[in-house]
Amino acid sequence: MALTWTWYLVSRHPDVEARLHAELDRALHGGSPAAADLVQLPYTEMVVREAMRLYPPAAGFAREPIEDVTIGGYTVPKGSLVTVNTYALHRDPRFFEEPERFNPERFAAGWEDRTPRYASLPFGGGPRVCIGNGFAMMEARLILATVARRWRLTLEPGQAVVPMQLVTTRRRDGIRMPLHRRYERDHEPVALG
Ligand code: HEM
């Protein structure tokens, strides 16, 4: 889901796509990315983080207090269901300027210092934060770099892309996107890795 929304957003923002391709061409010299290359791909990471802000794959999560607790002036009785709507939180203008805009620059180096600690929660937070966080970010960046290095994905016309929240944020029936080679075979920088 993280990558579906990433490609959907990239296809609709040619400026972001061009910058992503430029970074991949510059850093990978035509080869397939390996984990060691990720440090050279900061923009690729910014794109994934910004896509997960607008379309958090885990749209929310829940907690149940084991005793009565006061949160922000509200008394929450023991046993209540408390839900955190990550999707709404990530689009709150108090924390993200022009929240509806897809702008990977928000996640340029130092974003953690510019953003309130619990404003960005694609992997949850606190003691039960996702234990797959680092692994998921690594594979998302590697897959995006591996594919986007050679392919462009465009949005097939005539689709109403409306997000649906069913534990994860998805579009019913998926999103159809044909692939286009970025290079003619003769000009491919390297053979398939
Ligand atoms: C983009 C990918 C992923 C997203 C968006 C994601 C999101 C989340 C979120 C929001 C939570 C917290 C749920 C809560 O607080 O109630 C969570 C927990 C968890 N995630 Fe992930 N996750 C991802 C990938 C992974 C991967 C790859 C693994 C394992 C390799 C994983 C394993 C777990 C586990 C075990 C927990 C429960 C941790 C606990 O309760 O102590 N996740 N994930």
Side-chain angles (χ1 to χ4, degrees):
M1 290 306 141
L3 288 170
T4 299
W5 292 113
T6 300
W7 262 299
Y8 166 73
L9 289 162
V10 167
S11 76
R12 288 165 51 100
H13 295 84
D15 51 325
V16 172
E17 184 184 57
R19 209 173 143 189
L20 176 66
H21 286 159
E23 177 174 89
L24 298 175
D25 292 346
R26 191 173 56 242
L28 301 176
H29 310 294
S32 289
D37 296 313
L38 290 176
V39 61
Q40 310 293 339
L41 302 175
Y43 194 69
T44 306
E45 176 172 343
M46 288 155 62
V47 168
V48 173
R49 287 200 187 280
E50 175 68 342
M52 285 203 292
R53 179 185 69 82
L54 277 172
Y55 296 102
F61 48 94
R63 292 291 182 270
E64 184 184 319
I66 53 173
E67 54 191 52
D68 293 357
V69 62
T70 304
I71 307 172
Y74 295 89
T75 303
V76 185
K78 168 185 173 176
S80 325
L81 180 68
V82 181
T83 59
V84 177
N85 187 323
T86 312
Y87 187 95
L89 177 71
H90 286 185
R91 289 169 186 249
D92 189 323
R94 287 175 298 171
F95 311 129
F96 299 99
E97 213 179 299
E98 290 187 87
E100 302 294 325
R101 195 155 82 88
F102 177 58
N103 175 19
E105 283 306 319
R106 300 175 203 278
F107 288 99
W111 68 270
E112 281 129 319
D113 302 329
R114 296 189 298 271
T115 315
R117 178 135 179 239
Y118 292 110
S120 175
L121 292 179
F123 295 101
R128 308 312 296 258
V129 70
C130 176
I131 60 163
N133 180 345
F135 178 71
M137 280 306 297
M138 181 183 73
E139 55 176 349
R141 289 180 291 161
L142 280 176
I143 296 168
L144 179 61
T146 301
V147 178
R149 156 180 104 77
R150 301 189 62 230
W151 302 92
R152 288 182 62 233
L153 278 74
T154 55
L155 197 61
E156 196 178 286
Q159 300 177 76
V161 177
V162 179
M164 176 176 96
Q165 296 183 358
L166 253 187
V167 184
T168 54
T169 308
R170 56 180 63 223
R171 178 188 179 265
R172 201 190 305 265
D173 304 327
I175 301 180
R176 287 184 305 281
M177 303 189 78
L179 283 91
H180 312 270
R181 274 184 190 282
R182 288 187 56 216
Y183 303 98
E184 291 302 323
R185 192 163 279 284
D186 290 348
H187 300 107
E188 269 174 32
V190 285
L192 278 169

